[in-house]
Amino acid sequence: GQQLNQSPQSMFIQEGEDVSMNCTSSSIFNTWLWYKQDPGEGPVLLIALYKAGELTSNGRLTAQFGITRKDSFLNISASIPSDVGIYFCAGSSQGGSEKLVFGKGTKLTVNP
Amino acid sequence: DVKVTQSSRYLVKRTGEKVFLECVQDMDHENMFWYRQDPGLGLRLIYFSYDVKMKEKGDIPEGYSVSREKKERFSLILESASTNQTSMYLCASTTLGAGGIYGYTFGSGTRLTVV
């Protein structure tokens, strides 16, 4: 099945550093979503993006819907230990489509 | 809050056993999904369902079946468990027409080990 290209696969950073990750697709998407999965838990929705160029924040998290509609970025500022986990991007090519396409995830480790 | 509940957090089963993973959601969602998650492979769709008694194969249905007798419950069945089915299994749900807009709500996962 179709998957998004998400990078990097993993990141090891120091507390306080900023983090950036991205997802790309070969096709145009109408919706981009970013999830976080804490260790041993299911993914939880962080941010949803619906318009090309849209920039949306949720606390220290900021995500952008790329102008080409084929990519999206997630930035985390001033990382803290509880930011550890796996971050997934997901996209939909149709607004009402039932099925999302997921990236493989970025595993984030934050050293205190 | 929407809640998706998976009945077991951890399971250990023997090779050849028939295994049932249960998922219940409390928000009257029409759509339910089963994924497995493995390191480096991301989330892979096993089966999904748009309605009661309705099911469709996802990307990796081999070795699995599903049952949806009631709207709130979606069961994943491993007909004869094998060691390569050791994985984290995630259930998700969304309301009709909204999956591509609002995303899915996931359960906490069942970590299955087949020995």
Side-chain angles (χ1 to χ4, degrees):
Chain A
Q2 183 183 4
Q3 281 201 320
L4 300 173
N5 296 313
Q6 185 172 350
S7 64
Q9 190 173 0
S10 62
M11 301 183 76
F12 298 84
I13 63 169
Q14 293 296 127
E15 184 176 357
E17 287 184 14
D18 296 343
V19 171
S20 187
M21 59 192 78
N22 72 84
C23 267
T24 60
S25 168
S26 58
S27 56
I28 289 173
F29 278 9
N30 290 327
T31 303
W32 284 95
L33 305 164
W34 284 93
Y35 283 86
K36 183 197 177 192
Q37 183 180 28
D38 289 328
E41 299 293 332
V44 174
L45 183 65
L46 296 173
I47 292 178
L49 301 159
Y50 302 112
K51 212 163 73 166
E54 181 180 355
L55 190 71
T56 297
S57 293
N58 178 2
R60 293 177 296 105
L61 278 61
T62 302
Q64 184 162 24
F65 193 138
I67 290 291
T68 65
R69 295 168 66 191
K70 291 183 178 182
D71 58 5
S72 179
F73 304 85
L74 176 69
N75 296 315
I76 305 172
S77 62
S79 58
I80 58 178
S82 62
D83 289 335
V84 299
I86 302 176
Y87 292 79
F88 290 98
C89 61
S92 170
S93 56
Q94 298 172 336
S97 173
E98 309 303 342
K99 285 203 292 177
L100 292 176
V101 179
F102 285 90
K104 292 187 178 181
T106 295
K107 186 173 182 180
L108 179 63
T109 303
V110 180
N111 296 315
Chain B
D1 275 355
V2 177
K3 215 163 177 191
V4 178
T5 303
Q6 295 184 232
S7 53
S8 305
R9 294 297 297 269
Y10 300 94
L11 276 179
V12 180
K13 296 293 181 180
R14 295 195 180 277
T15 300
E17 273 193 79
K18 190 168 185 175
V19 181
F20 293 85
L21 303 183
E22 305 289 345
C23 175
V24 177
Q25 49 91 8
D26 65 0
M27 282 302 291
D28 204 34
H29 283 174
E30 291 82 6
N31 303 324
M32 298 187 75
F33 306 83
W34 274 107
Y35 288 87
R36 65 176 283 176
Q37 180 181 18
D38 301 287
L41 298 179
L43 300 173
R44 292 184 290 168
L45 182 63
I46 305 171
Y47 268 96
F48 60 102
S49 170
Y50 291 158
D51 202 351
V52 175
K53 296 192 186 296
M54 181 273 174
K55 61 186 178 186
E56 285 199 27
K57 294 180 180 179
D59 300 319
I60 52 164
E62 296 77 21
Y64 303 94
S65 63
V66 290
S67 172
R68 190 147 181 220
E69 296 296 319
K70 293 185 178 181
K71 190 175 185 179
E72 66 269 20
R73 186 180 297 269
F74 192 33
S75 303
L76 180 69
I77 304 157
L78 285 66
E79 298 290 344
S80 177
S82 64
T83 54
N84 63 13
Q85 292 178 309
T86 292
S87 186
M88 172 74 138
Y89 289 88
L90 289 164
C91 175
S93 74
T94 187
T95 196
L96 190 67
I101 301 173
Y102 304 119
Y104 304 162
T105 300
F106 285 87
S108 297
T110 297
R111 185 162 293 281
L112 172 68
T113 302
V114 182
V115 298

